[in-house]
Amino acid sequence: MKLKFNISGMTCAACSARVEKVTKAVDGVHSCEVNLLGGTMTAEIRSEAVKDAIIKAVSDAGYGAAVAGQKQQERAPAEDALKEMKMRIIWSAAFLVILMYFTMGHMARLPMPHFVHGRENAVVAALLQFFLTLPAVFLNRIYYTRGLKALWHRSPNMDSLIAVGSGAALIYGVAALFRMAFAMGHGQWDIVEFYSENLYFESAAMILTLITLGKFLEAKAKGKTGDAIRALMDLRPDTAEVLRDGVEQIIPADQVRVGDLVIVRAGSRIPVDGTVTEGRGSVDQSALTGESVPVEVWEGSRVAAATVNTAGYFTFRADKVGEDTTLQQVIRMVEEAGGSKAPIARLADKIAGIFVPVVMAIALAAFILWLALGKGLEFSLTTAISVLVISCPCALGLATPVAIMVGTGKGAAMGVLFKNGAALEHLHSVDTVVLDKTGTLTAGKPAVTDVLPAVTEAQLLKIAAALEKPSEHPFARAILERAKGMDIPAVAEFETLPGFGVSGIIDGIRCFGGNRRLMEEKGIAVPDDTALADQGKTPLYFAEENGKFLGVIAAADVLKADSAQAVAALQQQKLRVVMLTGDNEKTANAIAQKAGICEVLADVLPTQKAQAVQDLRAKGSRVLMVGDGINDAPALVTADVGMAIGAGTDIAMESADVVLMSGSLESVANAIRLSKATIRIIRQNLFWAFFYNCLGIPVAFLGLLNPMIGAAAMSMSSVFVVSNALRLRRFRPHRETTHKEETNMTAVIKVEGMMCTHCKAMVEKVCKAVPGTLDAVVDLQAKTVTVTGEASVDALKKAIVDAGYEVIGE
């Protein structure tokens, strides 16, 4: 079982490495992963009884631990911690400025009080510096309490470096103060003058103040890495309007129960997941799917929590509430992914685990070496302090997790959910993208593609719809969808003809609808359908019993509107694109040609898809498999990265590493681009962290660095790493635009008779069904429909009139 803990007191990668090490040493712990940014740890344990042993082990190591959800006194809210840190900086800086005035003011020829002038007042001046240093030490005592505690438990961390470095400077200053007082009493004025110029109180105060300033800036920057999760949480409405016992009630959203009828008005945010039972609406799902175009919903449609009803009114039955809603699953997935470790972080984690002890050994070696070379106590001590305060394990520890957190958060905002950091990392290296056909490249359901009437189009559609209305065949639904809004005649004596089609009596005449074999059996001549078959379309023939041929309606599982552009976007990234399908080769090639795919694996059974992916991997390809996550589950698991395309409401696709909340294939190319951008940031951060420490520590060892400059550099190195990762927030999804789109016309048609959102949906639908239409948007107030694409205006007008509306002009 998995158990989550809140861990307090961790300040750097050395801390998280120590917590992980002591936890893994507990009997009954199979594995554990520490999230330094979130202050949490997830452990895979044998039973819940192990939790007390884990808490004790972590506590003995010098940190606080509690099971997530339980009260933990050491864990302060982030905002309160920032306010407290800000006050520490202000007061520390105020005393530091005064201290620097008295220690270095004379160098800038500033006027100085008479009581600090001359060697006779050296002890007074030293005492003044000491008392001005104490507030900075007291205000920032947390470094001493945490650092020395960690040192006592033999698990030194960054706080230990700060405590030892600033503490050494402070102790040296106090010792120098006593040495000055002793020398003054014995008339040894040369010693008094020497120590009055080498007290180092300002170094201790400066180190503590600059480190705290760096920590404050780092904390503020790290706070922004969780903006995506907070934005998702803010989408949850506070209240919901429900219908209980026939009475409308407004209740807290978390009190909605499964089975409740929830009322959604225009402009309202949907509180839970459910199924529409009554009414219609236009729902903006951009918060979950990343798609900006609202989706029309009616009876039977599924809706998700956090989406917004932009127009209309409907009632839905609550199916998923609380932690089971799509929104909560998204938040949980983003949190888990942001807190997980990517393989690229392993080296940094290993180094961070031994970094602080090694640095302390180097500092001790520098002190002993320079002392042995006769450089004196002051120089040797300054060099050792510089080594301690210049080193920065934080930069190493933050290099990967901040980028992973920002990257997964950005992905969630785009409708791309990474299940872990490994998926985000592996995606950047794929060179082959395998696309399932049905439901991935295509819409997943048949649609009418061609209407070839031997009579009028309206007559053919009405008779075809009448015959297909009682049928449950997928093609029947496609024909009924095309004939929506028409006055469909009644059919009598309906009969299904297995293997052939259907028949029925319409207006006293028996009519037939079905395949070529049915027409041949009835002795009815039909046109050649080779061209349609070559395009992957299935022709359905319609005729009357008297031998009169009515026409052909072709249907196919058509490409999604953006499939060809998405494939082009993948190919522009130099990726090999392969289509995988169980369809016959002829149909598969027709679809692939339209999508712009050159390589096709056809006649592949669901049980063989995983083997097809494995064969590609065996040839050296790094494979991304994109499918619907159900029939393609074995292939998704077999691929280097499995990506499941959802519809925004079902993200429980355990077989996939990445889930696309929308059905848009454009998200695949954008997910790969985001992965590459994230890995690029991680590599930059790791390079900086290694470069900084590899350069800074030797420079300090050679005695070429002032401790105060070292403290400032150490503070800024962590800020740099976090700020660099935050650049990912500026990542923008790329939308491919073809030349064809750039040259599309726009037609505005005035339509009479549109009264409601149902009318709006109907007119948009019939316009979009006209070949060449890319988009159609109705403005109810202006009574217009704006159509973009290359569709014929006459065809658009005819479609609108056939749907029962009146065209009054352009």
Side-chain angles (χ1 to χ4, degrees):
M1 63 175 290
K2 275 189 176 182
L3 202 59
K4 189 174 182 180
F5 296 85
N6 290 328
I7 308 296
S8 64
M10 295 190 300
T11 58
C12 67
C15 299
S16 59
R18 177 66 176 170
V19 171
E20 201 167 289
K21 184 177 180 181
V22 299
T23 302
K24 285 180 178 177
V26 175
D27 185 37
V29 175
H30 303 304
S31 65
C32 78
E33 201 167 75
V34 176
N35 179 359
L36 175 62
L37 283 175
T40 61
M41 176 179 69
T42 303
E44 185 80 34
I45 59 177
R46 185 174 56 219
S47 65
E48 197 169 344
V50 182
K51 69 179 182 182
D52 291 334
I54 292 174
I55 292 172
K56 184 178 185 304
V58 174
S59 298
D60 289 345
Y63 305 93
V67 176
Q70 295 182 2
K71 187 176 178 181
Q72 184 180 6
Q73 292 182 349
E74 288 190 58
R75 192 172 177 82
E79 288 185 9
D80 292 344
L82 275 174
K83 286 180 181 178
E84 185 265 344
M85 204 180 297
K86 187 176 181 180
M87 292 305 298
R88 281 164 47 200
I89 293 169
I90 292 171
W91 284 106
S92 296
F95 281 99
L96 178 63
V97 169
I98 301 171
L99 174 61
M100 296 302 290
Y101 168 74
F102 282 108
T103 56
M104 296 184 177
H106 62 282
M107 297 180 186
R109 300 187 181 280
L110 296 176
M112 304 293 289
H114 67 88
F115 59 83
V116 295
H117 280 300
R119 61 186 186 181
E120 296 83 4
N121 294 319
V123 173
V124 174
L127 282 170
L128 180 62
Q129 292 178 38
F130 173 65
F131 285 117
L132 286 171
T133 302
L134 287 180
V137 173
F138 176 77
L139 289 167
N140 299 290
R141 62 190 180 279
I142 190 169
Y143 297 119
Y144 297 99
T145 55
R146 288 196 307 216
L148 296 178
K149 182 179 180 183
L151 197 60
W152 176 259
H153 288 284
R154 297 193 301 277
S155 56
N157 55 23
M158 196 192 77
D159 287 342
S160 304
L161 296 178
I162 299 166
V164 172
S166 62
L170 184 66
I171 292 171
Y172 171 81
V174 172
L177 181 58
F178 278 97
R179 186 77 179 88
M180 287 170 62
F182 179 83
M184 185 178 288
H186 291 76
Q188 299 171 337
W189 295 106
D190 55 334
I191 295 176
V192 172
E193 288 182 1
F194 173 80
Y195 281 110
S196 66
E197 296 173 0
N198 294 280
L199 287 169
Y200 295 115
F201 285 127
E202 74 279 7
S203 293
M206 181 71 81
I207 289 170
L208 292 170
T209 304
L210 287 177
I211 294 295
T212 304
L213 176 62
K215 285 285 184 185
F216 176 75
L217 295 175
E218 179 188 321
K220 285 202 74 173
K222 283 197 292 188
K224 294 178 182 177
T225 63
D227 283 353
I229 294 176
R230 283 189 290 275
L232 287 171
M233 290 179 173
D234 289 343
L235 293 174
R236 295 178 293 198
D238 296 325
T239 60
E241 189 173 356
V242 299
L243 190 64
R244 290 179 178 173
D245 300 324
V247 179
E248 294 181 7
Q249 303 176 29
I250 296 178
I251 62 173
D254 56 6
Q255 292 183 13
V256 177
R257 301 189 297 262
V258 173
D260 274 343
L261 290 178
V262 183
I263 298 167
V264 182
R265 305 178 189 277
S268 298
R269 198 175 289 277
I270 298 170
V272 296
D273 293 5
T275 305
V276 177
T277 57
E278 184 182 354
R280 297 178 70 92
S282 182
V283 178
D284 178 1
Q285 299 180 338
S286 59
L288 291 181
T289 67
E291 293 185 351
S292 57
V293 180
V295 176
E296 298 294 326
V297 298
W298 50 81
E299 187 176 344
S301 300
R302 293 186 60 80
V303 292
T307 55
V308 180
N309 180 31
T310 58
Y313 172 96
F314 60 87
T315 303
F316 73 92
R317 182 185 64 254
D319 296 333
K320 294 180 180 179
V321 301
E323 294 297 313
D324 296 327
T325 64
T326 299
L327 177 65
Q328 285 303 121
Q329 291 184 59
V330 170
I331 292 172
R332 187 160 56 247
M333 193 177 292
V334 173
E335 285 179 334
E336 289 175 358
S340 65
K341 289 184 179 178
I344 197 172
R346 288 173 185 163
L347 177 61
D349 286 346
K350 286 180 181 178
I351 292 174
I354 60 170
F355 185 86
V356 175
V358 169
V359 167
M360 297 187 87
I362 293 172
L364 181 61
F367 177 78
I368 295 172
L369 177 64
W370 289 115
L371 201 61
L373 292 174
K375 285 291 185 176
L377 177 64
E378 294 73 25
F379 180 84
S380 302
L381 185 61
T382 301
T383 301
I385 292 171
S386 296
V387 170
L388 290 172
V389 298
I390 189 68
S391 58
C392 186
C394 274
L396 276 173
L398 293 171
T400 299
V402 288
I404 292 291
M405 179 172 279
V406 179
T408 53
K410 186 64 186 178
M414 293 162 45
V416 179
L417 302 182
F418 295 93
K419 288 192 174 179
N420 49 56
L424 183 62
E425 179 183 344
H426 291 153
L427 186 59
H428 93 283
S429 62
V430 299
D431 54 31
T432 302
V433 180
V434 178
L435 302 173
D436 176 55
K437 181 186 78 73
T438 306
T440 303
L441 277 167
T442 64
K445 59 181 181 179
V448 171
T449 58
D450 301 86
V451 179
L452 307 172
V455 290
T456 66
E457 183 176 320
Q459 282 180 303
L460 174 58
L461 282 173
K462 285 180 180 180
I463 291 173
L467 283 173
E468 299 292 351
K469 192 172 184 180
S471 173
E472 291 298 320
H473 195 279
F475 283 179
R477 290 195 287 273
I479 292 172
L480 288 170
E481 188 70 22
R482 182 62 179 266
K484 204 167 186 178
M486 291 186 172
D487 185 16
I488 300 174
V491 61
E493 298 182 22
F494 173 80
E495 185 181 358
T496 299
L497 308 173
F500 292 95
V502 294
S503 75
I505 296 175
I506 301 172
D507 295 332
I509 302 172
R510 179 163 289 278
C511 299
F512 299 96
N515 55 27
R516 175 178 283 273
R517 285 191 299 161
L518 175 61
M519 297 295 113
E520 290 173 349
E521 186 178 274
K522 300 300 178 182
I524 300 170
V526 296
D528 182 30
D529 62 2
T530 305
L532 292 173
D534 287 345
Q535 297 173 39
K537 300 173 182 176
T538 302
L540 298 175
Y541 303 93
F542 295 89
E544 294 179 353
E545 191 176 28
N546 57 19
K548 182 181 178 182
F549 179 64
L550 301 175
V552 183
I553 296 179
D557 185 8
V558 296
L559 278 178
K560 292 177 181 175
D562 64 349
S563 289
Q565 294 174 18
V567 169
L570 292 170
Q571 291 169 340
Q572 284 175 7
Q573 294 186 43
K574 309 299 182 186
L575 296 169
R576 173 189 178 193
V577 182
V578 180
M579 188 178 85
L580 187 65
T581 179
D583 287 351
N584 63 70
E585 192 170 348
K586 197 171 189 179
T587 302
N589 284 331
I591 292 291
Q593 186 176 4
K594 290 180 181 178
I597 299 174
C598 301
E599 194 172 346
V600 178
L601 298 176
D603 295 311
V604 180
L605 298 174
T607 54
Q608 299 171 333
K609 287 184 177 181
Q611 185 58 49
V613 171
Q614 185 58 47
D615 290 343
L616 289 170
R617 294 186 66 195
K619 294 175 183 176
S621 298
R622 293 187 62 81
V623 179
L624 164 64
M625 173 68 195
V626 186
D628 61 16
I630 302 171
N631 296 330
D632 306 309
L636 290 170
V637 173
T638 305
D640 292 284
V641 180
M643 185 178 287
I645 286 191
T649 53
D650 183 12
I651 64 169
M653 301 179 185
E654 296 298 329
S655 53
D657 304 299
V658 185
V659 176
L660 303 182
M661 293 294 289
S662 73
S664 171
L665 263 184
E666 282 190 339
S667 298
V668 178
N670 283 324
I672 295 173
R673 288 179 60 245
L674 176 62
S675 173
K676 289 179 177 179
T678 303
I679 296 304
R680 185 163 57 248
I681 291 290
I682 289 174
R683 285 173 176 165
Q684 290 170 357
N685 283 351
L686 287 173
F687 171 79
W688 167 255
F690 282 114
F691 171 78
Y692 165 82
N693 283 292
C694 291
L695 178 66
I697 293 175
V699 169
F701 185 92
L702 294 173
L704 304 175
L705 190 69
N706 185 289
M708 291 183 283
I709 296 175
M714 192 260 266
S715 299
M716 290 303 106
S717 65
S718 296
V719 175
F720 171 84
V721 164
V722 177
S723 301
N724 190 43
L726 288 176
R727 291 194 301 120
L728 279 170
R729 298 198 305 171
R730 298 202 297 267
F731 178 88
R732 292 290 177 267
H734 185 58
R735 178 174 174 79
E736 293 298 316
T737 304
T738 64
H739 176 70
K740 183 176 179 181
E741 284 180 306
E742 293 170 0
T743 57
N744 283 324
M745 66 85 181
T746 299
V748 180
I749 303 172
K750 292 184 178 180
V751 182
E752 189 63 49
M754 298 188 298
M755 307 293 292
C756 62
T757 55
H758 173 75
C759 299
K760 174 180 182 290
M762 175 59 69
V763 173
E764 287 179 347
K765 192 175 194 64
V766 298
C767 287
K768 288 176 182 178
V770 176
T773 299
L774 285 177
D775 197 12
V777 179
V778 166
D779 186 331
L780 283 176
Q781 290 185 339
K783 295 187 182 298
T784 62
V785 56
T786 302
V787 182
T788 55
E790 297 181 332
S792 164
V793 175
D794 290 337
L796 290 167
K797 290 180 178 179
K798 186 177 184 304
I800 294 169
V801 171
D802 289 344
Y805 301 92
E806 182 183 354
V807 175
I808 57 176
E810 291 183 48

